[in-house]
Each structure stands twice: as C-alpha cells, then as structure tokens.
Amino acid sequence: MKKAEEMYAYARNHKLGFNLTPIIGGWLQKKHFKLIEDALGKDEEALVTFIGRHHPEDRENFQQYEGESAADFRDRVQSSQTNKVRYFSCKGFTAYAVTNSGRLIFARWVPFHNDYKSLPLNNINTINPNTRIIWGSLRIESFREVFSIFWTKRVVFAIAKLLEDSKSDLQDGLMDGITTANRQKVTNPSAPLTTETNYDKLKERKKALEDGLISQEEYDEYKDKFLNHE
C-alpha cells in the first residue's frame, strides 16, 4: 500500500481501529495516513495499518536521576505504566503503518502542526498489552520511544499480534506482507496440487490478494501453476 486511501481502507476493513469523531472522523484519519504516505521511501510500502489513540509517556520517567538507585528507578517507572492510560489522557487518534522496510510509522495531522515519527521494528524491545473488560492499551518500548496505543481490547490484542508477527518476519527476512499466522493459511505454491483441493486453495489465494496479503504477481504465479496442472 502506497496511498493514504488504501491504508485507511485496510485498517477499516480489518477492523483495526477507527476514529469516533462524528462526521469528520474518516476525513481526519485519511489526513493522518497521508502523512505516512508522504513519509514512505521510493520502494517502501505499508504492509499493515491500524488506528488508535496515542499516549506518549513522559521521557523523564525513563531516565535515571543522578543518585537514584536502580530499585527506586524501577519503582518510579512502574508507577507510570499503562494501567493509567485512558481515552481522554491520550494525545489523540493516530494512524500507524508497518512497512516492508521494517519500520513502524505513526502520524497525526492537526491544523498547522503535523506529528510524524518512525521506529525501526528491531528497536522495539517490549510489546505489552494491558486490557480491561472492554478497553485496553498496548505499551511499546524502544531505545528512544515509549508510548501506548489505546483502543478496545480486541483491537489491542490484534495490533500486538501484528507487531509480534512483523518483528518475527523481519528477523526471518520475510517482510512480504503476509504475517506469520496468515502465511500458514496461504498454500505453498511449490506444494503438490490435487484436483480435490485446488479450487479451495485458489480461493484462499484470491482472498489473500484482496486483503493485500500477497501481490498480484504472487497470485498470478500460483494461478498459472494451477491451470498448467489442470
């Protein structure tokens, strides 16, 4: 995905968050994704996108004071953790994208001020969901950024899974738009084909193409093998 409209549609179609602001919520969210579109490199694309409320954590909570013991520092950090994240304590709705360059990009558009940052997935050392009955937050720690993403419990767990899968795929060198879980559902094109299951497998590939999990070239390659087999 290279365009803001595609990124917004992906997040909505996969039920990965949305903006509750009446009437203009969708318009605002597309403005957020436009910042991500402009931030993409020449050959860079968004693989997955989602929407949530952004809660940046105070950097001073993660810097040890002079003379402060390690134990006191840990206690102070723990006292400021995500169990205090609430809807209205967040900075606002933000658009997020994981790219094929191994980056997590997040951006928020407001009039006369655009807030955009990117974070290498390899720099993320903590992905910690903290959920309640309906709502929850996902705390993300890296070497330079500490923040939480607030939304419903289901979305929080889904985002956590996406990020964990993306980190795993990056380590395996498989940043191809198919997360680990979905890759298991997509048939290996090199596997032997049988008439009994071919049509179901082709449907799975078609669905993966429509969801943006594989490219048109990958789908065409599989389809050609299927037709040649027939």
Side-chain angles (χ1 to χ4, degrees):
M1 294 176 283
K2 297 283 287 186
K3 298 297 183 181
E5 289 278 354
E6 297 175 290
M7 299 180 206
Y8 174 75
Y10 182 97
R12 292 306 308 270
N13 292 340
H14 289 78
K15 298 181 180 180
L16 294 172
F18 59 94
N19 192 327
L20 289 174
T21 307
I23 302 176
I24 64 171
W27 177 82
L28 281 172
Q29 208 59 64
K30 291 172 187 176
K31 298 288 282 186
H32 302 332
F33 278 117
K34 184 62 169 65
L35 295 178
I36 295 179
E37 174 187 327
D38 294 341
L40 293 175
K42 180 180 178 182
D43 298 318
E44 189 175 21
E45 296 184 9
L47 301 180
V48 295
T49 60
F50 48 92
I51 299 164
R53 287 183 66 81
H54 194 79
H55 183 274
E57 300 201 20
D58 194 344
R59 291 177 64 88
E60 71 177 14
N61 290 327
F62 305 96
Q63 297 175 358
Q64 192 167 353
Y65 297 148
E66 184 177 354
E68 184 179 32
S69 69
D72 289 343
F73 173 63
R74 284 194 300 271
D75 290 342
R76 181 162 57 82
V77 170
Q78 289 174 1
S79 69
S80 65
Q81 298 306 302
T82 54
N83 58 351
K84 294 185 178 181
V85 176
R86 297 290 186 271
Y87 183 95
F88 290 108
S89 69
C90 296
K91 189 173 182 179
F93 284 101
T94 298
Y96 304 81
V98 175
T99 77
N100 59 349
S101 294
R103 291 200 296 164
L104 172 62
I105 304 177
F106 46 103
R108 179 170 182 261
W109 179 92
V110 294
F112 311 112
H113 177 71
N114 299 328
D115 189 5
Y116 147 79
K117 290 183 180 179
S118 70
L119 179 65
L121 290 175
N122 280 336
N123 284 3
I124 297 176
N125 49 46
T126 298
I127 300 173
N128 181 31
N130 186 342
T131 61
R132 295 173 287 280
I133 296 176
I134 298 175
W135 304 100
S137 59
L138 178 67
R139 187 168 185 271
I140 297 175
E141 286 185 48
S142 72
F143 299 118
R144 295 185 178 181
E145 289 285 337
V146 181
F147 60 90
S148 296
I149 302 171
F150 177 91
W151 204 233
T152 64
K153 178 170 67 173
R154 186 200 66 80
V155 172
V156 164
F157 278 124
I159 293 172
K161 184 68 165 57
L162 282 174
L163 292 177
E164 291 285 5
D165 283 347
S166 296
K167 278 179 59 67
S168 175
D169 290 349
L170 180 63
Q171 293 168 359
D172 293 339
L174 297 171
M175 295 299 286
D176 56 3
I178 309 176
T179 62
T180 299
N182 285 321
R183 185 175 288 107
Q184 296 170 357
K185 301 177 183 177
V186 178
T187 307
N188 183 348
S190 63
L193 300 174
T194 63
T195 303
E196 182 180 359
T197 59
N198 263 345
Y199 286 105
D200 288 338
K201 292 177 179 179
L202 191 59
K203 287 179 181 178
E204 290 178 3
R205 280 269 162 172
K206 182 64 173 177
K207 182 64 166 58
L209 173 65
E210 292 171 350
D211 290 345
L213 301 176
I214 62 175
S215 67
Q216 183 68 50
E217 291 76 12
E218 289 174 306
Y219 173 75
D220 290 341
E221 179 183 356
Y222 183 85
K223 184 178 180 181
D224 288 341
K225 289 187 178 183
F226 167 71
L227 294 175
N228 290 335
H229 177 76
E230 292 294 300

